[in-house]
Amino acid sequence: MTSTTVIKLYNTKTRKKSEFTPIDALNVRMYLCGPTVYDRAHLGNARPVVVFDVLYRLLQVVYGRDHVTYVRNFTDVDDKINATALARKEAGAAGTLEELVAERTEETIGWYLSDMGKLGALEPDHMPRATQYITQMVTMIEALIAKGHAYADGSGHVLFSVKSYDDYGQLSGRSVDDMIAGARVEVADNKRDPMDFVLWKPSTDDLPGWDSPWGRGRPGWHIECSAMSEDLLGASFDIHAGGNDLMFPHHENEIAQSCCANGPDSFARYWLHNEMLQVEGKKMSKSLGNFFTVHDLLDQGISGEVIRFVFLQTHYRKPMDWTEKKAGEAEATLRKWRALTAGIEPAATAAAAVLEALADDLNTAGAIAEMHKLAAAGDVAGLLASAQLMGLLTPEMGDWAQQPDLDLSGYAAQLLGAREAAMETKNFAEVDRLKAAFIDAGLEVRMSKAGVELVPGSGFDAAKLEGLG
């Protein structure tokens, strides 16, 4: 351990915040459920990536960079991926269906890594693909059958017997009977119980599939994470994280599989779940027209650093509301902080108050409040070190904030002159015209008794200023 900082985390499983004590301080291990790679990541998909990237950074500071292992998987075998490949084939794309599935997953993984990188997320130590761990999944399924926790139905399906695991439902706090109604369970013939879920299912010849003791097929979703985490982190590890929409059934099923295969005290000790994301106060959905991907925002000229800052302004266990106003305010703050810290070397460590906030169940909102205090006090070296701990104000994230190679002082003087003339004539038409033109060009117009300041915002277009001089 390289720091005396004590981290406290809210453990969903125990429903309380407690001191984080790793199994082995020289080998701190964390797993985050990654994406199913059939399409671009939407804004909600990005929240856990950014939130738990901050936790990864904090763990590295406290325990040492070489003593933390972070795994985030790719689900690259799934019915949704197959459906996108089938749609391409029906549209005339060349290649077999299996080739089109592989093409789609490669394309989507590339998009995902690019988008998450632009949000400042560090790449995990391991990014396993489910298709690389089929052997481990088959081995785990065989063990579950041998121990009486799973059964083959004779049609190529293998199912987990939920009633064979007495603690099922403890994570989400629901009884099995409560879960049956509206449960997201996969359909399979010959279930012994409605809550039993699929570990293995048959594949047709044209879809991805692997040989197994139960015939050619592919794994169910839940067994993938259990097998990958065990292979890379061991039967027991420290932290399992993800969105709270995965708590049931995915995380509940992971626990059941892993504990039945490896013992009741195995698998993850701390469970962390982030709340969901809204847009302008409403649930993000295609039907409301407020559904967009990370790539959509980047294409609109909103930088990844601004998106990250907006995310971190809300505690991860509270619903986060994405609004245009928040994005604008975040951009203004980041521009101000980048100007303050330009040419400055960061302090050796983040400010103690910022570190303390982050160590208190990842209170990023509190950490940002402390960073505002550092900026106001003129501690720019402390501000820079603290921001960089949170993945902000890093050199590689700063291209968006570079001031355009354009001197705006002439335009500011023009508006100032128009305002002084208007004070005499009481005719503000020219002031209003110039302000409207500057705003249309993407400039923030700041007018005070001291003068006029023009600040480029996202989407600034210098070409729109032509003819105003």
Side-chain angles (χ1 to χ4, degrees):
M1 186 182 291
T2 61
S3 169
T4 58
T5 301
V6 175
I7 298 175
K8 292 184 178 180
L9 298 173
Y10 182 87
N11 189 348
T12 307
K13 196 169 185 179
T14 61
R15 288 166 179 74
K16 63 182 181 181
K17 184 166 64 175
S18 59
E19 183 176 328
F20 172 67
T21 306
I23 297 168
D24 178 359
L26 298 178
N27 184 22
V28 182
R29 289 157 285 168
M30 178 171 74
Y31 187 93
L32 174 65
C33 284
T36 300
V37 287
Y38 67 95
D39 208 346
R40 283 195 178 273
H42 62 68
L43 201 58
N45 299 143
R47 190 182 189 195
V49 176
V50 170
V51 164
F52 296 116
D53 176 70
V54 175
L55 178 57
Y56 180 40
R57 293 168 184 267
L58 177 64
L59 291 171
Q60 288 180 326
V61 167
V62 174
Y63 294 96
R65 185 180 299 274
D66 296 332
H67 302 302
V68 181
T69 303
Y70 174 28
V71 177
R72 187 186 68 218
N73 74 293
F74 289 113
T75 293
D76 61 343
V77 51
D78 184 83
D79 291 340
K80 290 180 179 179
I81 302 172
N82 294 344
T84 60
L86 182 60
R88 285 188 171 188
K89 187 168 182 63
E90 290 175 346
T96 66
L97 193 54
E98 194 162 1
E99 288 170 343
L100 292 173
V101 166
E103 179 184 290
R104 182 61 169 178
T105 58
E106 287 300 321
E107 177 181 56
T108 310
I109 287 172
W111 289 341
Y112 184 86
L113 292 177
S114 174
D115 289 346
M116 296 308 110
K118 288 172 183 174
L119 299 185
L122 300 173
E123 288 199 353
D125 300 286
H126 302 282
M127 294 185 286
R129 302 185 186 195
T131 54
Q132 298 168 336
Y133 289 79
I134 300 297
T135 299
Q136 291 88 334
M137 295 173 204
V138 170
T139 299
M140 181 174 274
I141 294 169
E142 288 180 313
L144 290 169
I145 293 174
K147 294 179 179 182
H149 295 292
Y151 57 93
D153 72 352
S155 68
H157 291 87
V158 181
L159 298 108
F160 183 87
S161 175
V162 167
K163 286 188 175 177
S164 75
Y165 181 56
D166 292 339
D167 290 336
Y168 192 84
Q170 282 196 354
L171 180 70
S172 55
R174 309 183 195 185
S175 69
V176 171
D177 291 338
D178 290 338
M179 296 180 202
I180 292 175
R184 290 168 51 194
V185 295
E186 295 179 82
V187 176
D189 294 333
N190 303 328
K191 282 188 178 184
R192 294 178 184 172
D193 185 272
M195 285 302 297
D196 290 353
F197 58 87
V198 172
L199 299 174
W200 190 265
K201 54 189 172 184
S203 277
T204 57
D205 290 341
D206 57 341
L207 287 172
W210 294 264
D211 292 332
S212 80
W214 318 286
R216 186 176 184 277
R218 60 190 192 272
W221 174 31
H222 314 298
I223 196 69
E224 297 174 8
C225 287
S226 285
M228 287 185 282
S229 63
E230 180 184 351
D231 189 85
L232 292 167
L233 298 176
S236 296
F237 56 94
D238 299 300
I239 298 170
H240 194 311
N244 66 358
D245 58 324
L246 298 180
M247 193 185 306
F248 176 80
H250 185 50
H251 292 164
E252 204 74 78
N253 291 352
E254 282 186 74
I255 292 172
Q257 295 162 162
S258 295
C259 289
C260 287
N262 298 316
D265 296 324
S266 61
F267 210 43
R269 299 177 68 237
Y270 295 82
W271 285 84
L272 275 63
H273 291 93
N274 63 278
E275 256 287 356
M276 293 297 97
L277 178 141
Q278 300 173 330
V279 175
E280 302 290 348
K282 297 180 180 178
K283 182 179 178 180
M284 186 169 69
S285 70
K286 291 180 180 178
S287 62
L288 292 175
N290 65 352
F291 180 95
F292 43 83
T293 67
V294 173
H295 187 69
D296 291 335
L297 289 184
L298 295 171
D299 268 359
Q300 292 169 23
I302 299 175
S303 80
E305 188 172 33
V306 167
I307 297 170
R308 184 182 184 94
F309 192 89
V310 173
F311 280 175
L312 297 181
Q313 285 180 307
T314 302
H315 192 276
Y316 77 95
R317 287 195 293 109
K318 294 181 179 179
M320 200 217 86
D321 192 18
W322 174 271
T323 68
E324 289 188 13
K325 180 182 178 183
K326 284 184 180 178
E329 290 171 348
E331 179 176 315
T333 296
L334 288 169
R335 286 190 183 279
K336 177 183 175 183
W337 286 357
R338 281 196 171 274
L340 280 174
T341 58
I344 298 294
E345 286 296 315
T349 60
V354 171
L355 201 56
E356 183 179 341
L358 293 179
D360 183 14
D361 194 29
L362 218 58
N363 184 3
T364 55
I368 289 173
E370 294 296 335
M371 287 157 60
H372 280 291
K373 294 178 185 177
L374 292 171
D379 183 0
V380 291
L383 170 64
L384 186 56
S386 301
Q388 290 185 348
L389 170 57
M390 296 177 68
L392 300 166
L393 303 189
T394 59
E396 60 271 17
M397 290 281 280
D399 287 349
W400 72 272
Q402 298 299 318
Q403 296 291 343
D405 189 18
L406 178 69
D407 183 1
L408 298 175
S409 60
Y411 296 103
Q414 184 181 2
L415 180 55
L416 180 62
R419 185 178 72 172
E420 290 173 347
M423 297 297 290
E424 297 290 331
T425 65
K426 306 303 180 186
N427 181 355
F428 287 84
E430 179 64 5
V431 173
D432 293 339
R433 183 187 76 85
L434 288 172
K435 281 180 62 177
F438 293 153
I439 292 170
D440 181 60
L443 293 172
E444 181 185 349
V445 180
R446 301 175 183 173
M447 301 179 70
S448 66
K449 291 181 179 180
V452 172
E453 184 181 7
L454 302 178
V455 180
S458 60
F460 171 66
D461 184 358
K464 290 187 175 181
L465 297 178
E466 294 177 5
L468 290 177

